Every structure is written in structure tokens, then in C-alpha cells.
Amino acid sequence: MHNRVMDPGGSGEELVVALEQLVRYVRQVSTAGGLSSAASSVLGRLGREGPQRVTELARGEGVSQPGMTQLVTRMERDGLVRRIASTDDRRGVLVEATDAGADVVRERRAERAQALRELVDRLDPQEQSAVAIALPALARLIQTQASK
């Protein structure tokens, strides 16, 4: 396979391009539910983090609150999410994934995992080991950064 090593002192552009290609590929192969990227991302967030206010979803996804409200309304109409009363604030409303929404998230994750597994299986054993070490390490750093 490909044995070229990225220059650790380089600009990082090569890594960014590789990550962009990987993300685009993995998104393209996950088709369960026929969701847009935005809807898929919101469902994934709700699955990982639990119910949230529309304002929290908008901030987390980097979109406007009106845009998120429209997306949530469409997803609610499609049976993927529902609005529920907040237990902390009786006036507050949270958005949570429905069972159908959670099923779509699981299906899409399974599709993505299979696609990634098929790619990694085509690498030589040394490259497979590098991926198995590097991706979880990057994920840990992202989690640490996000919790700051």
C-alpha cells in the first residue's frame, strides 16, 4: 500500500485534506433514513448527549436558532425527534430523539463503521496499527478540547 509518512513538522494541510476526504466518504456511504448532513448531525448529537434545548443544538451545530427551529420542526414531522418539557424549568422545552430517530442513528453509524472497516482492511498491517492508535488519540484530544 502507501508507505509515505506525513511530515510531523509540516503545515498539517495534508492531514486536513485526508480527514476531509475521509469524512466526506463516510458521510456519503451512510444513507439510512435519507437524512441531510445537518439532520444526521443533530440526531447524532442527541444520541450522544441526550435531550437539549434548541438554543443548545444551534450553538453546538454552529447554526442560527431560527434555522435549528426549522430543522427540528421538519425532523419532528418525520418522527425522528420530539419536544418534551424540561424537568429543570417548566417553561423550557427540550428536543430528544424518538426511538425511530435513535434507530436511524444506529443504522447510519453501522454503515459508517462498515465503510471505515472496509477501508482499513485494505491497508497493510503497519498502517492498520497506526490508524488504530491515531484515530482514538485524536478523538480523546477533541473530547478534552470540547470539555474546556
Side-chain angles (χ1 to χ4, degrees):
M1 276 256 100
H2 184 288
N3 288 324
R4 195 167 128 250
V5 177
M6 191 180 103
D7 177 13
S11 67
E13 285 184 38
E14 189 176 342
L15 180 58
V16 168
V17 169
L19 287 172
E20 288 171 346
Q21 290 173 333
L22 180 61
V23 167
R24 188 171 30 258
Y25 173 75
V26 170
R27 282 185 177 159
Q28 288 173 346
V29 299
S30 57
T31 58
L35 302 179
S36 67
S37 292
S40 177
S41 184
V42 167
L43 269 180
R45 179 178 296 275
L46 292 172
R48 284 186 312 276
E49 300 173 10
Q52 296 183 31
R53 294 176 184 270
V54 170
T55 53
E56 293 170 323
L57 286 171
R59 187 174 30 255
E61 295 295 315
V63 300
S64 69
Q65 185 171 344
M68 182 56 67
T69 299
Q70 290 177 352
L71 178 60
V72 166
T73 298
R74 285 192 305 272
M75 293 170 67
E76 188 174 33
R77 186 180 57 235
D78 293 340
L80 301 172
V81 300
R82 70 177 144 255
R83 297 171 206 246
I84 58 170
S86 171
T87 57
D88 299 336
D89 175 2
R90 286 185 293 163
R91 295 172 299 159
V93 174
L94 301 175
V95 178
E96 73 175 357
T98 62
D99 290 343
D103 288 345
V104 170
V105 169
R106 279 190 292 277
E107 290 173 34
R108 291 175 76 85
R109 248 188 217 131
E111 288 172 337
R112 290 172 176 176
Q114 180 63 32
L116 186 56
R117 199 170 18 258
E118 288 171 4
L119 283 177
V120 172
D121 285 349
R122 293 170 52 194
L123 298 172
D124 66 44
Q126 185 178 3
E127 290 170 323
Q128 289 177 11
S129 294
V131 168
I133 292 168
L135 290 182
L138 287 171
R140 279 193 308 278
L141 287 174
I142 291 167
Q143 284 294 31
T144 301
Q145 188 69 28
S147 64
K148 287 184 178 181

